[in-house]
Amino acid sequence: MALWGGRFQSGSSDMFKQVNDSLPFDQVMASQDIRGSIVWSRAIAKAGVLTSDEQQQLEQALNELLAKAEAGELDFASSPEEDIHSFVEAALTDKLGDIARKLHTGRSRNDQVATDFRLWVREHCEQLLNDLQQLRASLVNTAKRNEQVILPGYTHLQRAQPVRFPHWCLAYVEMFKRDISRLEDLTQRLNQCPLGSGALAGTTYPIDRQEIAEQLGFASPCVNSLDAVSDRDYVLELLFVASTSMMHMSRMAEDLIFFNSGESGFIRLGDHVTSGSSLMPQKKNPDALELMRGKCGRVFGSLQGLLVTMKGLPLAYNKDMQEDKEGAFDAVNQWHICLVIASEVVDSIELDSERCAQAAKEGYANATELADYLVGKGVPFRTAHDISGQVVLAALAAGKPIEDLSVQELQQFSALIDEDVYPVLQLEYLVDKRNILGGTGAQPVKAALEHELAAIAALSS
Ligand code: ARG
C-alpha cells in the first residue's frame, strides 16, 4: 500500500519500484522508526488528534512491533511496502484499521527519516566507541606484555632510529583516542531532534517539540525545519571519522604486515587471524590485516559518494537523499568488523625480541649518536654529521656495524673519538637518551604506558 496512491491513476512500473523502494535496506531502522512513532502518537494525542484510548491502542501495537523488530521477527522480504515508514504503518493498519491511519497526521516521512537516521547513527556511535576503546586496551596490554622490546623505527621505510615497542603501540593509541574524541564530538552535535519539522516547513499541529526531543533522548529539537529535513552532515561526519579511523587501522595493519614478513620476522600472529594458501602448504598469510587495509576503499568511497550526492541539492528534501543510507550502513558495519578483528590481531601478537633487537642494531641507527658524541666534544653538528657519514661508509665497506670498528679505525675520521664512544653506540643507550616527553626513552614510555593502563582500568571499572 503506497502512502500516496490517491492522486495516481496507475501503479508503479516494476523498474520504478526497484529504483524507488528503500525497504530492502532501511529495514535496519525499524526499531528507531517504531520508537519515533510511539513518541509521535503521544504528541498528537496531546494535541487533540487522537483520544487517549486510540493512543494507547497505537502504543501497545507499536510496542508489539518493536519487540518483533528487536527479535528479528519482522518479515520484510515478502512485504510490498516502499520503505520502513510505510512498512510500520501497514503493519499497524493490518492490526488496528482506521486508528492506525491517523498516526501520520502532521508528520512527513521527511522529518521521520531524518529522525530515524539520527537515532540510528547515535546508537551505532555507542557500539563503535566501545569497539575503539577495546582496540585501545588491546594495544596498551600488548605494549605492557612486551615492555622491554626494542625494534627499528623507520622513515622512508629505511631503518632510522630504534624505538621501544610500547612506543609504537602507543602511537596508534593516540590516533584511536582522537577517533574516539571525534566520535564523541559528533554525537553531541547530531543530538537534535528533527521530528515535528513536517515535510519542510514545520507542522500545523500544536505539538510540544521539546517533549518529543526529550522522549527520544535528544538534547533539544532542531531549530529550523528546512535544515532539519534536508541536512545530512551528521552522516558525513560519521563517514569522515570512519574513514580517518580506517586509515589509522590501515597504517597499523601495514606496519604489522611488514613486521610479520619473512624479511622482518619481528612478530608472529595467531592462527585464528591468519589463513593458509590452497597451493603452498607453508604459507600463513596476514589476511585480517590485509582486509583492514583493503576495506578502506569502500569506506572512503561512501564518504566521497555522499558528499557528491549532497553537493548540488536544493533545499529541502530530494529523493537523491535516500542514497545516504546504504554507504553509511556498510561503512559502519565494516568499521565495526575491522575494529573488532584489529583488536583480536593485536591481542595475538607475539614478538621475537632477539630479532627485533638485532634489526635495531643493524642499519647504522647509531650514526646520529656518533654525530651527537662529536658535538659533545665541541665539533659543530654539520661537521659531525659529515664525519659520522664517512664512518658509516667505511663500516659498510668493512661489512661491520660502527661499534665493531676499533678506536684506531674510528680515529682516522676524527682524533676526538675515544674508548668512551662505545657505550654511546649501544642500543639501550641510544633509545634511553630520548628521555624527553613524547620520546622513546625508558622513562617517558613507562610513564605513558602507566597513564594508559590507568585510563583503561578506569574505563572498565
Ligand atoms: N525512503 C525515503 C528516504 O530514505 C524516506 C523519505 C521519503 N520522502 C519523500 N518525500 N518521498 O529518504
Side-chain angles (χ1 to χ4, degrees):
M1 170 199 66
L3 297 178
W4 36 262
R7 186 224 178 277
F8 289 76
Q9 289 178 328
S10 69
S12 307
S13 79
D14 286 349
M15 212 30 113
F16 175 73
K17 251 192 97 47
Q18 247 190 65
V19 76
N20 190 51
D21 287 3
S22 54
L23 187 61
F25 49 89
D26 67 13
Q27 54 181 256
V28 300
M29 302 193 304
S31 143
Q32 290 79 7
D33 197 73
I34 297 167
R35 283 182 275 138
S37 289
I38 293 174
V39 171
W40 186 248
S41 73
R42 293 180 193 154
I44 55 172
K46 263 193 156 177
V49 176
L50 299 173
T51 65
S52 91
D53 176 56
E54 287 172 329
Q55 193 281 324
Q56 274 167 22
Q57 289 189 55
L58 274 172
E59 182 155 344
Q60 193 186 338
L62 283 162
N63 272 321
E64 283 163 21
L65 267 186
L66 184 59
K68 281 194 175 173
E70 283 169 357
E73 283 167 7
L74 295 177
D75 176 16
F76 299 113
S78 55
S79 167
E81 297 303 329
E82 177 183 334
D83 55 27
I84 187 59
H85 326 294
S86 341
F87 178 93
V88 170
E89 192 171 320
L92 275 182
T93 310
D94 278 352
K95 191 157 185 149
L96 300 176
D98 269 355
I99 303 175
R101 294 167 67 83
K102 295 184 176 181
L103 178 62
H104 208 55
T105 313
R107 181 177 73 168
S108 159
R109 281 182 295 164
N110 298 352
D111 57 350
Q112 216 181 334
V113 73
T115 306
D116 293 0
F117 207 6
R118 282 192 193 230
L119 288 173
W120 189 92
V121 171
R122 195 179 71 196
E123 287 159 15
H124 281 75
C125 283
E126 280 172 32
Q127 170 69 55
L128 293 160
L129 278 170
N130 284 338
D131 297 342
L132 280 159
Q133 295 290 14
Q134 183 53 50
L135 176 54
R136 172 188 183 188
S138 292
L139 281 161
V140 172
N141 291 328
T142 304
K144 180 69 188 164
R145 277 193 283 117
N146 299 285
E147 203 171 348
Q148 300 311 330
V149 177
I150 295 174
L151 77 173
Y154 296 83
T155 59
H156 313 272
L157 207 53
Q158 304 283 316
R159 285 179 196 157
Q161 289 167 351
V163 293
R164 288 185 181 279
F165 178 69
H167 200 52
W168 177 91
C169 293
L170 294 176
Y172 285 105
V173 166
E174 287 305 307
M175 296 179 221
F176 293 123
K177 275 161 61 182
R178 287 194 296 275
D179 294 340
I180 289 169
S181 114
R182 273 184 273 268
L183 209 47
E184 287 170 342
D185 187 45
L186 88 88
T187 52
Q188 297 290 317
R189 205 166 17 254
L190 74 75
N191 210 17
Q192 292 192 316
C193 183
L195 201 58
S197 298
L200 72 163
T203 190
T204 53
Y205 292 86
I207 50 153
D208 185 340
R209 291 204 54 218
Q210 192 66 44
E211 195 169 74
I212 292 177
E214 272 165 30
Q215 289 189 12
L216 288 171
F218 288 105
S220 58
C222 296
V223 300
N224 181 294
S225 62
L226 287 170
D227 172 52
V229 297
S230 63
D231 200 66
R232 293 292 183 269
D233 57 8
Y234 57 96
V235 190
L236 288 165
E237 285 194 49
L238 177 71
L239 288 170
F240 171 73
V241 181
S243 297
T244 304
S245 181
M246 286 293 297
M247 175 273 290
H248 288 151
M249 252 192 291
S250 178
R251 294 189 71 180
M252 183 180 82
E254 174 58 22
D255 273 354
L256 291 174
I257 290 167
F258 173 66
F259 293 170
N260 182 60
S261 67
E263 280 63 26
S264 305
F266 299 162
I267 62 169
R268 279 181 300 277
L269 300 171
D271 283 359
H272 57 294
V273 288
T274 48
S275 84
S277 153
S278 60
L279 175 70
M280 298 166 280
Q282 81 282 13
K283 293 288 292 292
K284 178 170 162 181
N285 298 324
D287 297 38
L289 293 167
E290 289 170 346
L291 284 164
M292 261 176 245
R293 200 174 53 180
K295 282 176 186 294
C296 282
R298 63 206 271 182
V299 176
F300 298 0
S302 297
L303 171 62
Q304 185 69 12
L306 186 56
L307 280 168
V308 175
T309 294
M310 296 303 294
K311 79 167 261 299
L313 295 185
L315 288 185
Y317 179 83
N318 303 267
K319 200 56 170 275
D320 314 44
M321 286 157 61
Q322 181 165 283
E323 290 295 309
D324 59 357
K325 293 179 199 61
E326 284 165 287
F329 294 159
D330 179 66
V332 165
N333 190 31
Q334 297 305 328
W335 185 20
H336 162 66
I337 291 171
C338 287
L339 286 167
V340 175
I341 193 70
S343 172
E344 284 184 26
V345 171
V346 170
D347 287 340
S348 86
I349 291 175
E350 276 177 37
L351 279 137
D352 183 337
S353 54
E354 300 261 294
R355 194 137 178 179
C356 290
Q358 191 52 39
K361 280 182 200 155
E362 289 164 5
Y364 304 99
N366 49 9
T368 314
E369 253 43 57
L370 178 59
D372 281 342
Y373 166 87
L374 290 166
V375 168
K377 300 214 167 187
V379 181
F381 179 73
R382 195 44 62 217
T383 313
H385 184 284
D386 196 50
I387 294 171
S388 180
Q390 290 172 33
V391 172
V392 169
L393 203 59
L396 270 171
K400 292 178 180 174
I402 299 176
E403 61 273 26
D404 284 2
L405 298 176
S406 67
V407 180
Q408 289 73 20
E409 285 171 313
L410 289 168
Q411 282 176 346
Q412 287 170 12
F413 301 95
S414 167
L416 293 169
I417 302 179
D418 217 332
E419 283 290 344
D420 62 349
V421 75
Y422 291 108
V424 166
L425 298 175
Q426 296 312 305
L427 189 59
E428 282 73 16
Y429 177 86
L430 48 132
V431 174
D432 288 338
K433 228 182 127 193
R434 291 177 164 78
N435 253 335
I436 183 85
L437 176 73
T440 198
Q443 266 178 33
V445 169
K446 192 169 178 46
L449 191 51
E450 294 305 323
H451 178 271
E452 278 305 312
L453 282 164
I456 58 169
L459 277 171
S460 55
S461 65

